[in-house]
Short mmCIF file of all heavy atoms in Angstrom, two decimals:
data_model
loop_
_atom_site.label_atom_id
_atom_site.label_comp_id
_atom_site.label_asym_id
_atom_site.label_seq_id
_atom_site.Cartn_x
_atom_site.Cartn_y
_atom_site.Cartn_z
N THR A 19 132.96 -67.22 -106.64
CA THR A 19 133.78 -67.88 -107.62
C THR A 19 134.68 -68.87 -107.00
O THR A 19 135.39 -68.60 -105.99
CB THR A 19 134.66 -66.82 -108.41
OG1 THR A 19 133.76 -65.91 -109.05
CG2 THR A 19 135.56 -67.45 -109.38
N THR A 20 134.75 -70.06 -107.49
CA THR A 20 135.69 -71.04 -107.00
C THR A 20 137.01 -70.97 -107.73
O THR A 20 137.10 -70.46 -108.81
CB THR A 20 135.12 -72.51 -107.18
OG1 THR A 20 135.06 -72.78 -108.54
CG2 THR A 20 133.75 -72.61 -106.50
N ALA A 21 138.06 -71.49 -107.08
CA ALA A 21 139.35 -71.55 -107.73
C ALA A 21 139.31 -72.35 -109.01
O ALA A 21 139.91 -71.94 -110.02
CB ALA A 21 140.39 -72.13 -106.75
N GLN A 22 138.53 -73.42 -108.98
CA GLN A 22 138.39 -74.21 -110.19
C GLN A 22 137.79 -73.46 -111.34
O GLN A 22 138.21 -73.59 -112.50
CB GLN A 22 137.59 -75.47 -109.89
CG GLN A 22 137.40 -76.45 -111.05
CD GLN A 22 138.72 -77.00 -111.52
OE1 GLN A 22 139.66 -77.07 -110.87
NE2 GLN A 22 138.72 -77.43 -112.79
N GLU A 23 136.75 -72.70 -111.05
CA GLU A 23 136.07 -71.87 -112.13
C GLU A 23 137.04 -70.89 -112.65
O GLU A 23 137.05 -70.70 -113.95
CB GLU A 23 134.85 -71.09 -111.48
CG GLU A 23 133.72 -71.97 -111.21
CD GLU A 23 132.61 -71.26 -110.50
OE1 GLU A 23 132.90 -70.38 -109.59
OE2 GLU A 23 131.42 -71.46 -110.81
N LEU A 24 137.85 -70.25 -111.90
CA LEU A 24 138.80 -69.30 -112.39
C LEU A 24 139.88 -69.99 -113.24
O LEU A 24 140.16 -69.45 -114.32
CB LEU A 24 139.46 -68.53 -111.20
CG LEU A 24 140.36 -67.31 -111.58
CD1 LEU A 24 139.47 -66.29 -112.26
CD2 LEU A 24 141.02 -66.77 -110.33
N ARG A 25 140.37 -71.06 -112.82
CA ARG A 25 141.38 -71.77 -113.57
C ARG A 25 140.83 -72.27 -114.96
O ARG A 25 141.46 -72.11 -116.00
CB ARG A 25 141.85 -73.01 -112.83
CG ARG A 25 142.85 -72.70 -111.73
CD ARG A 25 143.48 -73.99 -111.16
NE ARG A 25 144.01 -73.75 -109.86
CZ ARG A 25 143.42 -74.03 -108.69
NH1 ARG A 25 142.25 -74.57 -108.67
NH2 ARG A 25 144.01 -73.76 -107.56
N LEU A 26 139.60 -72.77 -114.90
CA LEU A 26 138.92 -73.22 -116.14
C LEU A 26 138.72 -71.98 -117.08
O LEU A 26 138.93 -72.14 -118.28
CB LEU A 26 137.61 -73.85 -115.88
CG LEU A 26 136.86 -74.45 -116.97
CD1 LEU A 26 137.69 -75.55 -117.67
CD2 LEU A 26 135.53 -75.04 -116.50
N CYS A 27 138.34 -70.85 -116.56
CA CYS A 27 138.09 -69.66 -117.42
C CYS A 27 139.41 -69.26 -118.08
O CYS A 27 139.44 -69.00 -119.24
CB CYS A 27 137.57 -68.54 -116.53
SG CYS A 27 137.28 -67.03 -117.44
N ILE A 28 140.47 -69.23 -117.31
CA ILE A 28 141.78 -68.90 -117.82
C ILE A 28 142.18 -69.88 -118.94
O ILE A 28 142.63 -69.45 -120.03
CB ILE A 28 142.89 -68.84 -116.76
CG1 ILE A 28 142.62 -67.60 -115.81
CG2 ILE A 28 144.24 -68.78 -117.35
CD1 ILE A 28 143.45 -67.60 -114.61
N ARG A 29 141.95 -71.15 -118.70
CA ARG A 29 142.37 -72.16 -119.65
C ARG A 29 141.53 -72.08 -120.93
O ARG A 29 141.98 -72.32 -122.02
CB ARG A 29 142.15 -73.54 -119.02
CG ARG A 29 142.87 -74.67 -119.72
CD ARG A 29 142.81 -76.02 -118.95
NE ARG A 29 143.08 -75.86 -117.55
CZ ARG A 29 142.24 -76.36 -116.55
NH1 ARG A 29 141.18 -76.97 -116.87
NH2 ARG A 29 142.63 -76.19 -115.33
N ASN A 30 140.22 -71.73 -120.84
CA ASN A 30 139.33 -71.68 -121.93
C ASN A 30 139.45 -70.42 -122.81
O ASN A 30 138.97 -70.40 -123.94
CB ASN A 30 137.87 -71.80 -121.47
CG ASN A 30 137.53 -73.18 -121.02
OD1 ASN A 30 138.25 -74.12 -121.35
ND2 ASN A 30 136.50 -73.38 -120.28
N GLN A 31 140.12 -69.42 -122.29
CA GLN A 31 140.30 -68.17 -123.11
C GLN A 31 141.38 -68.40 -124.13
O GLN A 31 142.55 -68.67 -123.81
CB GLN A 31 140.65 -67.02 -122.19
CG GLN A 31 139.45 -66.52 -121.45
CD GLN A 31 139.76 -65.25 -120.75
OE1 GLN A 31 140.47 -65.23 -119.73
NE2 GLN A 31 139.26 -64.14 -121.23
N GLU A 32 140.96 -68.30 -125.39
CA GLU A 32 141.96 -68.47 -126.49
C GLU A 32 143.01 -67.42 -126.51
O GLU A 32 144.17 -67.71 -126.67
CB GLU A 32 141.21 -68.58 -127.80
CG GLU A 32 140.38 -69.81 -127.97
CD GLU A 32 139.64 -69.86 -129.31
OE1 GLU A 32 140.04 -69.15 -130.25
OE2 GLU A 32 138.56 -70.48 -129.36
N GLU A 33 142.55 -66.20 -126.47
CA GLU A 33 143.47 -65.07 -126.53
C GLU A 33 143.49 -64.31 -125.26
O GLU A 33 142.79 -63.29 -125.12
CB GLU A 33 143.14 -64.15 -127.71
CG GLU A 33 143.29 -64.83 -129.08
CD GLU A 33 144.76 -65.16 -129.40
OE1 GLU A 33 145.70 -64.45 -128.93
OE2 GLU A 33 144.96 -66.19 -130.05
N VAL A 34 144.14 -64.76 -124.22
CA VAL A 34 144.14 -64.14 -122.94
C VAL A 34 144.70 -62.71 -123.04
O VAL A 34 144.12 -61.82 -122.43
CB VAL A 34 144.91 -65.00 -121.95
CG1 VAL A 34 145.00 -64.29 -120.58
CG2 VAL A 34 144.32 -66.32 -121.74
N GLU A 35 145.73 -62.48 -123.81
CA GLU A 35 146.30 -61.16 -123.88
C GLU A 35 145.26 -60.12 -124.38
O GLU A 35 145.31 -59.00 -123.90
CB GLU A 35 147.52 -61.14 -124.84
CG GLU A 35 148.76 -61.89 -124.30
CD GLU A 35 149.40 -61.18 -123.09
OE1 GLU A 35 149.38 -59.92 -123.06
OE2 GLU A 35 149.89 -61.89 -122.23
N GLU A 36 144.41 -60.48 -125.33
CA GLU A 36 143.49 -59.55 -125.85
C GLU A 36 142.35 -59.19 -124.89
O GLU A 36 141.71 -58.14 -124.96
CB GLU A 36 142.82 -60.11 -127.14
CG GLU A 36 143.72 -60.17 -128.30
CD GLU A 36 143.16 -60.65 -129.56
OE1 GLU A 36 141.94 -60.87 -129.59
OE2 GLU A 36 143.89 -60.91 -130.54
N SER A 37 142.15 -60.05 -123.88
CA SER A 37 141.08 -59.80 -122.93
C SER A 37 141.59 -59.35 -121.52
O SER A 37 140.91 -59.41 -120.56
CB SER A 37 140.21 -61.07 -122.79
OG SER A 37 140.99 -62.13 -122.33
N LEU A 38 142.84 -58.94 -121.53
CA LEU A 38 143.42 -58.50 -120.19
C LEU A 38 142.85 -57.18 -119.70
O LEU A 38 142.72 -56.99 -118.57
CB LEU A 38 144.92 -58.35 -120.37
CG LEU A 38 145.79 -59.63 -120.20
CD1 LEU A 38 147.26 -59.30 -120.36
CD2 LEU A 38 145.51 -60.33 -118.91
N VAL A 39 142.50 -56.26 -120.66
CA VAL A 39 142.06 -54.95 -120.26
C VAL A 39 140.67 -54.68 -120.81
O VAL A 39 140.39 -54.87 -121.98
CB VAL A 39 143.09 -53.91 -120.81
CG1 VAL A 39 142.59 -52.52 -120.40
CG2 VAL A 39 144.46 -54.13 -120.27
N ASP A 40 139.78 -54.21 -119.92
CA ASP A 40 138.41 -53.89 -120.31
C ASP A 40 138.35 -52.52 -120.88
O ASP A 40 139.36 -51.79 -120.93
CB ASP A 40 137.37 -54.21 -119.22
CG ASP A 40 137.54 -53.30 -118.04
OD1 ASP A 40 138.23 -52.25 -118.11
OD2 ASP A 40 136.92 -53.62 -117.00
N GLU A 41 137.08 -51.95 -121.14
CA GLU A 41 136.98 -50.65 -121.66
C GLU A 41 137.35 -49.58 -120.69
O GLU A 41 137.52 -48.37 -121.13
CB GLU A 41 135.46 -50.47 -122.15
CG GLU A 41 134.51 -50.47 -120.97
CD GLU A 41 133.38 -51.47 -121.15
OE1 GLU A 41 133.62 -52.54 -121.67
OE2 GLU A 41 132.28 -51.11 -120.76
N PHE A 42 137.53 -49.85 -119.47
CA PHE A 42 137.97 -48.89 -118.43
C PHE A 42 139.45 -48.99 -118.19
O PHE A 42 139.95 -48.39 -117.26
CB PHE A 42 137.14 -49.01 -117.18
CG PHE A 42 135.70 -48.82 -117.35
CD1 PHE A 42 134.79 -49.86 -117.39
CD2 PHE A 42 135.18 -47.52 -117.50
CE1 PHE A 42 133.40 -49.66 -117.62
CE2 PHE A 42 133.84 -47.29 -117.76
CZ PHE A 42 132.96 -48.34 -117.79
N GLY A 43 140.14 -49.80 -118.97
CA GLY A 43 141.55 -50.00 -118.80
C GLY A 43 141.89 -50.90 -117.63
O GLY A 43 143.07 -50.90 -117.17
N MET A 44 140.91 -51.60 -117.08
CA MET A 44 141.08 -52.39 -115.88
C MET A 44 141.47 -53.86 -116.21
O MET A 44 140.89 -54.43 -117.14
CB MET A 44 139.90 -52.39 -115.01
CG MET A 44 139.49 -51.01 -114.45
SD MET A 44 138.07 -51.08 -113.41
CE MET A 44 138.78 -51.36 -111.84
N THR A 45 142.43 -54.39 -115.49
CA THR A 45 142.80 -55.77 -115.65
C THR A 45 141.96 -56.53 -114.61
O THR A 45 141.28 -55.95 -113.74
CB THR A 45 144.24 -55.98 -115.28
OG1 THR A 45 144.60 -55.65 -114.02
CG2 THR A 45 145.17 -55.16 -116.25
N ALA A 46 142.04 -57.89 -114.60
CA ALA A 46 141.40 -58.68 -113.65
C ALA A 46 141.91 -58.30 -112.26
O ALA A 46 141.16 -58.40 -111.28
CB ALA A 46 141.62 -60.15 -113.92
N PHE A 47 143.15 -57.94 -112.17
CA PHE A 47 143.76 -57.53 -110.89
C PHE A 47 142.99 -56.27 -110.31
O PHE A 47 142.65 -56.18 -109.12
CB PHE A 47 145.28 -57.21 -110.96
CG PHE A 47 146.08 -58.48 -111.19
CD1 PHE A 47 146.57 -58.70 -112.46
CD2 PHE A 47 146.35 -59.36 -110.15
CE1 PHE A 47 147.37 -59.83 -112.69
CE2 PHE A 47 147.14 -60.53 -110.39
CZ PHE A 47 147.68 -60.73 -111.68
N HIS A 48 142.83 -55.25 -111.20
CA HIS A 48 142.07 -54.08 -110.78
C HIS A 48 140.70 -54.43 -110.23
O HIS A 48 140.24 -53.95 -109.18
CB HIS A 48 141.81 -53.12 -111.97
CG HIS A 48 143.02 -52.37 -112.45
ND1 HIS A 48 143.85 -52.82 -113.48
CD2 HIS A 48 143.55 -51.16 -112.07
CE1 HIS A 48 144.78 -51.99 -113.67
NE2 HIS A 48 144.68 -50.95 -112.87
N VAL A 49 140.01 -55.32 -111.00
CA VAL A 49 138.65 -55.72 -110.65
C VAL A 49 138.66 -56.45 -109.26
O VAL A 49 137.88 -56.16 -108.33
CB VAL A 49 138.00 -56.55 -111.71
CG1 VAL A 49 136.70 -57.06 -111.24
CG2 VAL A 49 137.88 -55.73 -112.99
N LEU A 50 139.56 -57.42 -109.12
CA LEU A 50 139.62 -58.21 -107.90
C LEU A 50 139.91 -57.28 -106.65
O LEU A 50 139.30 -57.35 -105.62
CB LEU A 50 140.64 -59.29 -107.97
CG LEU A 50 140.77 -60.19 -106.79
CD1 LEU A 50 139.51 -60.98 -106.50
CD2 LEU A 50 141.95 -61.15 -106.95
N PHE A 51 140.90 -56.39 -106.89
CA PHE A 51 141.32 -55.55 -105.77
C PHE A 51 140.28 -54.45 -105.42
O PHE A 51 140.38 -53.85 -104.33
CB PHE A 51 142.69 -54.89 -106.10
CG PHE A 51 143.84 -55.83 -106.06
CD1 PHE A 51 145.08 -55.44 -106.65
CD2 PHE A 51 143.77 -57.09 -105.58
CE1 PHE A 51 146.16 -56.28 -106.62
CE2 PHE A 51 144.86 -57.96 -105.58
CZ PHE A 51 146.03 -57.57 -106.13
N SER A 52 139.41 -54.10 -106.34
CA SER A 52 138.38 -53.13 -106.12
C SER A 52 137.17 -53.64 -105.30
O SER A 52 136.28 -52.93 -104.90
CB SER A 52 137.95 -52.41 -107.36
OG SER A 52 137.21 -53.38 -108.15
N THR A 53 137.19 -55.03 -105.04
CA THR A 53 136.12 -55.60 -104.30
C THR A 53 136.40 -55.63 -102.79
O THR A 53 137.55 -55.55 -102.39
CB THR A 53 135.86 -57.09 -104.81
OG1 THR A 53 137.05 -57.83 -104.50
CG2 THR A 53 135.50 -57.11 -106.27
N ALA A 54 135.38 -55.80 -102.00
CA ALA A 54 135.53 -55.93 -100.55
C ALA A 54 136.10 -57.29 -100.30
O ALA A 54 135.61 -58.32 -100.76
CB ALA A 54 134.18 -55.72 -99.87
N ASP A 55 137.23 -57.33 -99.51
CA ASP A 55 137.84 -58.62 -99.13
C ASP A 55 138.19 -59.51 -100.27
O ASP A 55 137.69 -60.66 -100.38
CB ASP A 55 136.92 -59.31 -98.10
CG ASP A 55 136.71 -58.60 -96.76
OD1 ASP A 55 137.75 -57.96 -96.35
OD2 ASP A 55 135.70 -58.64 -96.20
N PRO A 56 139.05 -59.02 -101.20
CA PRO A 56 139.49 -59.95 -102.26
C PRO A 56 140.09 -61.19 -101.79
O PRO A 56 140.84 -61.14 -100.74
CB PRO A 56 140.47 -59.10 -103.07
CG PRO A 56 140.89 -58.02 -102.19
CD PRO A 56 139.77 -57.85 -101.18
N ARG A 57 139.82 -62.30 -102.40
CA ARG A 57 140.26 -63.59 -101.95
C ARG A 57 141.69 -63.91 -102.38
O ARG A 57 142.03 -63.82 -103.56
CB ARG A 57 139.36 -64.74 -102.41
CG ARG A 57 138.03 -64.64 -101.73
CD ARG A 57 137.04 -65.75 -102.00
NE ARG A 57 137.59 -66.99 -102.30
CZ ARG A 57 137.24 -67.79 -103.29
NH1 ARG A 57 136.25 -67.39 -104.08
NH2 ARG A 57 137.73 -68.95 -103.47
N GLY A 58 142.60 -64.18 -101.48
CA GLY A 58 143.92 -64.52 -101.75
C GLY A 58 144.15 -65.71 -102.69
O GLY A 58 145.05 -65.72 -103.52
N GLU A 59 143.24 -66.72 -102.57
CA GLU A 59 143.31 -67.86 -103.44
C GLU A 59 143.19 -67.49 -104.91
O GLU A 59 143.89 -67.93 -105.73
CB GLU A 59 142.22 -68.81 -103.03
CG GLU A 59 142.18 -70.12 -103.83
CD GLU A 59 141.06 -71.04 -103.44
OE1 GLU A 59 139.97 -70.47 -102.92
OE2 GLU A 59 141.17 -72.23 -103.56
N LEU A 60 142.26 -66.59 -105.21
CA LEU A 60 142.06 -66.20 -106.60
C LEU A 60 143.27 -65.32 -107.09
O LEU A 60 143.73 -65.39 -108.21
CB LEU A 60 140.76 -65.38 -106.74
CG LEU A 60 139.49 -66.10 -106.35
CD1 LEU A 60 138.25 -65.27 -106.61
CD2 LEU A 60 139.41 -67.47 -107.08
N LEU A 61 143.74 -64.48 -106.12
CA LEU A 61 144.95 -63.70 -106.44
C LEU A 61 146.14 -64.59 -106.80
O LEU A 61 146.87 -64.37 -107.82
CB LEU A 61 145.34 -62.78 -105.31
CG LEU A 61 146.65 -61.98 -105.48
CD1 LEU A 61 146.55 -61.09 -106.68
CD2 LEU A 61 146.86 -61.17 -104.20
N GLU A 62 146.40 -65.66 -106.06
CA GLU A 62 147.49 -66.56 -106.36
C GLU A 62 147.30 -67.22 -107.77
O GLU A 62 148.31 -67.31 -108.49
CB GLU A 62 147.50 -67.64 -105.31
CG GLU A 62 148.00 -67.23 -103.98
CD GLU A 62 148.02 -68.40 -102.97
OE1 GLU A 62 148.26 -69.56 -103.37
OE2 GLU A 62 147.84 -68.07 -101.77
N ILE A 63 146.11 -67.50 -108.14
CA ILE A 63 145.89 -68.08 -109.51
C ILE A 63 146.19 -67.11 -110.51
O ILE A 63 146.86 -67.37 -111.53
CB ILE A 63 144.43 -68.58 -109.64
CG1 ILE A 63 144.17 -69.76 -108.68
CG2 ILE A 63 144.12 -68.98 -111.08
CD1 ILE A 63 142.72 -70.11 -108.50
N LEU A 64 145.77 -65.84 -110.33
CA LEU A 64 146.10 -64.82 -111.33
C LEU A 64 147.58 -64.51 -111.45
O LEU A 64 148.13 -64.36 -112.55
CB LEU A 64 145.35 -63.48 -110.96
CG LEU A 64 143.83 -63.45 -111.08
CD1 LEU A 64 143.34 -62.11 -110.56
CD2 LEU A 64 143.40 -63.75 -112.45
N LEU A 65 148.29 -64.50 -110.27
CA LEU A 65 149.67 -64.26 -110.30
C LEU A 65 150.48 -65.38 -110.92
O LEU A 65 151.52 -65.12 -111.52
CB LEU A 65 150.18 -64.07 -108.85
CG LEU A 65 149.81 -62.77 -108.12
CD1 LEU A 65 150.18 -62.87 -106.66
CD2 LEU A 65 150.45 -61.62 -108.84
N ARG A 66 150.00 -66.62 -110.90
CA ARG A 66 150.68 -67.72 -111.60
C ARG A 66 150.51 -67.67 -113.05
O ARG A 66 151.30 -68.12 -113.81
CB ARG A 66 150.09 -69.09 -111.04
CG ARG A 66 150.56 -69.41 -109.69
CD ARG A 66 150.23 -70.82 -109.33
NE ARG A 66 150.45 -71.02 -107.87
CZ ARG A 66 149.46 -71.29 -107.01
NH1 ARG A 66 148.25 -71.39 -107.37
NH2 ARG A 66 149.75 -71.40 -105.73
#
Side-chain angles (χ1 to χ4, degrees):
T19 298
T20 66
Q22 180 63 22
E23 287 173 319
L24 189 62
R25 284 188 198 100
L26 185 61
C27 180
I28 290 170
R29 198 174 312 130
N30 288 340
Q31 286 187 285
E32 292 179 21
E33 294 297 326
V34 175
E35 288 293 325
E36 291 180 9
S37 61
L38 278 180
V39 180
D40 68 13
E41 66 234 37
F42 298 103
M44 296 181 91
T45 65
F47 291 104
H48 286 95
V49 175
L50 182 64
F51 290 168
S52 67
T53 63
D55 295 324
R57 291 184 33 222
E59 179 182 29
L60 300 183
L61 174 59
E62 286 180 32
I63 294 167
L64 293 176
L65 288 171
R66 285 189 194 116

